[in-house]
Amino acid sequence: MKRTTLFAAGMLLLAQVAAAQLGSQDERLAGSGIWGWTYYDDNPIYSVSLSGDGATAIVGGSGGGVARVFVRSGRVWSRQADVPVGSGVAGAGAYSAAISGSGDTAIVGGPVNDGGTGAVWIYERTGEMNDRWEQQQPKLVGSGAGGRAYQGFSVAISWYGDTAVVGGPWDVNGIGAAWVFSRTGWVWSQQAKLVGPYSGLQPFQGTSVAISADGSTVIVGGPNDADGVGAAWVYTRAGGTWSLQQKLFGSGAAGRAGQGRSVALSPDGDTAIVGGPNDADGAGAAWVFTRANGAWSQQGSKVTGNGAVGAAGLGTSVAISSDGSRALAGGPEDDSGAGAAWIFTRAGTVWAQEGDKLVGGGAIGPAHQGQSVAMSSNGAAFIVGGPTDGDGGAAWAYSSRPAPSWVPVVAHSDGANGSRWRSDFGLLNPGATAASVEVRFHGPGAVVSSTTNVPAGAQSILRDVVGELGAAGQGALEIIADRSLMVTARTYNQAAPEAGCLANGTQGQDYPVVAASSGLAAGQSAFLPALVEDDAYRTNIGVVNMGEATATILVELCDGAGTTVAEYTRQIPPGRWRQEIQPFRYLAGETAMSGGYSRITVQSGAGVFALASVIDNITNDPTTVAMQR
């Protein structure tokens, strides 16, 4: 007799909803004080920066020497504090600023300090209400500069604010450099001055800088390298020593693209985006690079935007999400200086524009929106600066709902030998604002859903979630939230001790929370390795369709030698999960196979995720095998 065992029993956790769907403008931050300053390439220089959770923003570029901090509650922003250029000022202005991923440390650059020597100031958020910003120590000025370097022209800081990088593009008469500072306790000290190999006379290294979350990878842009072609240099730290890892310049550039006018790094440091606003006579473009085993390579073709009016200068600013799947690029010259920003998303290695270009409402005059951009780590919140807006400069804040995430299998059902499968479901909201969450169960019948709110910093646990939704059976759980959450699920056997299924022996299993964007599309394949079918273990194979259309899936069963022993095709409606019980035994006749595998190929549809369960025949303990591409 066939045994029916729910394969998706277990713990699934600490998987953050990362992808996001294009949203709408939250607010225009008028009078942000980001009035333009003409210095390099006749562009106003200032910056916007977002914390990792997208709830704190800092805006730099005030000629009055002040960077401004804004905080978000829901979709409403308010000014929290003005962060002035601190002690040791000698004619400085707060022209650049960055905030740590944690949102508690800020760095402000004043490149014209002391007649063009330049400097930076570090601030920490303090106070009982966590609403005051205090300078940590006297200004930082890197040693070894050659002439007026304009240090602080660009700045970046690591996630917890322990490492900072400062660009000075006029060092040694335009060769340029970047300085790295690190913090021990509350004391900052210089760790390195970075100058990469260059072509031409004035590469202007340090025009842009970015840093990984752990502070061990830095990228430095030099848009005038090779007489305007431009480049970016990636450095890595081992101990306290920095070394050049690779010089990057993208293929497919049209003319003197100015690559390196802007740069951004994903928090893990393995994905970089480099903007070149002068590409194709000012249309502009961006290039994405990824790192594998210490080597960088270009990912796909250069990224360009649709809907531009005139020479937009796309790539003047860039930002990228933590998983490297979503990017933002600003084009401040679009439509005669009105400016705009473009969002791009990645499918595999192909980048495509998401939606229409973003142009914030309420602008006064040519605002040059897109002169700077920033994005939260999950790509769900972003901010676009316009330094010449007639209201004293402005910034436009946007947010989008995270894309739905899926628990591949949950249950409220009875199985073999008296087993009773139930699923507990948890939502942890690590953010500073409450989350609204819709939970949908895609089971044997109609979709059943319910909405709940999770307070800021709180966790909500739903016991027997399928039963609480008034449903029964086995299926997939879809989670739709208005902010990023940590999702947990545990499916377990609730049978009585005397049941023949050994209820006390089942411990559950781990498996990933997944998003539709991470699933397989038509023509793509993945593998389920290390499958067993013998006297000790049995294997079930399941597939969930997270897409919006029926998917056709080919499942090939292979033995350890690579021989296909059986195959079958299944059609899975959208939102449905289907499990094949012991296909190796019942379709291929395999009863003594210790090292088989399965290949899953999607013939039509998208958003398909496959996983297998290898089950102990004595204890019924299942182990999940998630698909691998």
Side-chain angles (χ1 to χ4, degrees):
M1 181 177 68
K2 297 182 183 179
R3 304 196 204 186
T4 301
T5 303
L6 182 69
F7 78 88
M11 294 291 296
L12 129 168
L13 259 327
L14 300 181
Q16 189 170 12
V17 180
Q21 297 172 332
L22 185 61
S24 58
Q25 180 182 325
D26 284 349
E27 194 167 348
R28 173 178 175 266
L29 308 180
S32 299
I34 47 178
W35 195 261
W37 170 57
T38 300
Y39 170 65
Y40 175 77
D41 204 26
D42 292 328
N43 284 327
I45 300 301
Y46 77 97
S47 59
V48 294
S49 179
L50 272 176
S51 59
D53 64 3
T56 305
I58 189 168
V59 178
S62 166
V66 174
R68 294 204 162 103
V69 177
F70 297 85
V71 293
R72 176 171 58 89
S73 177
R75 298 174 73 101
V76 178
W77 287 86
S78 59
R79 186 191 295 184
Q80 184 180 65
D82 287 354
V83 181
V85 170
S87 63
V89 175
Y95 296 118
S96 63
I99 198 165
S100 62
S102 66
D104 294 323
T105 306
I107 181 171
V108 177
V112 297
N113 181 70
D114 196 15
T117 298
V120 298
W121 292 260
I122 308 288
Y123 300 86
E124 194 78 12
R125 181 154 52 182
T126 63
E128 292 184 4
M129 304 298 293
N130 203 31
D131 59 354
R132 292 192 296 111
W133 290 83
E134 295 183 356
Q135 185 177 333
Q136 279 195 354
Q137 70 177 57
K139 67 181 182 183
L140 301 178
V141 181
S143 63
R148 297 175 178 178
Y150 289 86
Q151 294 182 46
F153 186 87
S154 58
V155 294
I157 195 163
S158 62
W159 189 274
Y160 291 109
D162 294 324
T163 305
V165 58
V166 176
W170 271 101
D171 185 64
V172 192
N173 197 32
I175 292 175
W179 285 260
V180 180
F181 299 88
S182 63
R183 179 174 64 177
T184 301
W186 296 104
V187 178
W188 286 86
S189 59
Q190 182 175 324
Q191 200 167 57
K193 178 187 178 184
L194 307 176
V195 182
Y198 59 92
S199 300
L201 298 176
Q202 293 179 309
F204 293 116
Q205 297 181 48
T207 295
S208 58
V209 294
I211 192 168
S212 62
D214 65 0
S216 65
T217 301
V218 160
I219 185 169
V220 179
N224 206 43
D225 187 69
D227 297 324
V229 173
W233 294 259
V234 179
Y235 300 86
T236 57
R237 178 174 59 188
T241 302
W242 288 86
S243 58
L244 177 67
Q245 187 171 59
Q246 196 167 331
K247 180 180 178 181
L248 307 179
F249 42 89
S251 63
R256 297 174 177 176
Q259 295 182 50
R261 173 63 183 84
S262 59
V263 295
L265 270 179
S266 61
D268 64 7
D270 289 333
T271 305
I273 183 169
V274 177
N278 298 329
D279 186 72
D281 294 325
W287 288 259
V288 179
F289 301 86
T290 56
R291 177 171 60 182
N293 300 319
W296 290 84
S297 59
Q298 184 174 324
Q299 186 178 63
S301 304
K302 69 180 181 183
V303 178
T304 58
N306 299 322
V309 179
L314 185 149
T316 297
S317 57
V318 292
I320 197 162
S321 63
S322 60
D323 64 356
S325 67
R326 202 174 201 214
L328 180 64
E333 302 304 321
D334 184 68
D335 196 10
S336 301
W342 285 258
I343 293 180
F344 302 92
T345 53
R346 175 177 57 83
T349 60
V350 178
W351 286 87
Q353 184 173 324
E354 180 181 349
D356 297 327
K357 67 183 182 183
L358 302 176
V359 181
I364 300 174
H368 289 90
Q369 294 182 46
Q371 183 66 44
S372 61
V373 297
M375 177 179 280
S376 63
S377 61
N378 68 352
F382 31 97
I383 189 166
V384 177
T388 59
D389 180 86
D391 213 3
W396 285 262
Y398 299 81
S399 66
S400 54
R401 296 170 64 91
S405 60
W406 293 71
V407 178
V409 183
V410 290
H412 178 103
S413 64
D414 296 338
N417 302 322
S419 59
R420 295 189 302 168
W421 296 101
R422 303 292 185 264
S423 298
D424 292 347
F425 175 66
L427 294 168
L428 172 63
N429 179 6
T433 58
S436 176
V437 187
E438 181 185 2
V439 179
R440 296 178 177 175
F441 174 61
H442 298 263
V447 176
V448 180
S449 67
S450 180
T451 301
T452 185
N453 289 315
V454 184
Q459 180 171 236
S460 176
I461 302 293
L462 299 178
R463 306 294 181 186
D464 186 15
V465 59
V466 178
E468 285 296 316
L469 289 171
Q474 303 172 7
L477 202 67
E478 183 182 12
I479 304 101
I480 303 173
D482 63 357
R483 60 158 296 116
S484 296
L485 301 172
M486 301 294 183
V487 181
T488 63
R490 186 174 72 91
T491 299
Y492 52 90
N493 184 3
Q494 205 179 47
E498 62 270 16
C501 59
L502 297 176
N504 293 332
T506 57
Q507 303 300 314
Q509 63 192 116
D510 296 332
Y511 60 96
V513 177
V514 293
S517 60
S518 66
L520 299 173
Q524 296 181 331
S525 298
F527 292 87
L528 298 170
L531 306 184
V532 184
E533 188 71 37
D534 56 21
D535 290 340
Y537 297 94
R538 65 190 185 276
T539 293
N540 299 337
I541 293 177
V543 176
V544 62
N545 178 8
M546 303 174 290
E548 298 179 355
T550 296
T552 303
I553 299 102
L554 172 66
V555 180
E556 299 172 83
L557 307 176
C558 303
D559 61 20
T563 301
T564 300
V565 295
E567 62 181 44
Y568 57 93
T569 301
R570 296 288 184 263
Q571 287 193 322
I572 316 294
R576 298 294 182 176
W577 166 78
R578 178 163 181 169
Q579 178 174 239
E580 206 71 29
I581 304 297
Q582 294 182 258
F584 280 97
R585 175 181 291 268
Y586 296 113
L587 296 180
E590 295 284 346
T591 59
M593 184 194 68
S594 61
Y597 66 91
S598 177
R599 177 167 48 237
I600 313 296
T601 302
V602 177
Q603 297 177 326
S604 66
V608 173
F609 187 83
L611 60 167
S613 186
V614 178
I615 306 156
D616 189 304
N617 285 331
I618 297 177
T619 67
N620 275 340
D621 269 329
T623 300
T624 291
V625 177
M627 73 178 192
Q628 300 182 31
R629 294 177 184 266

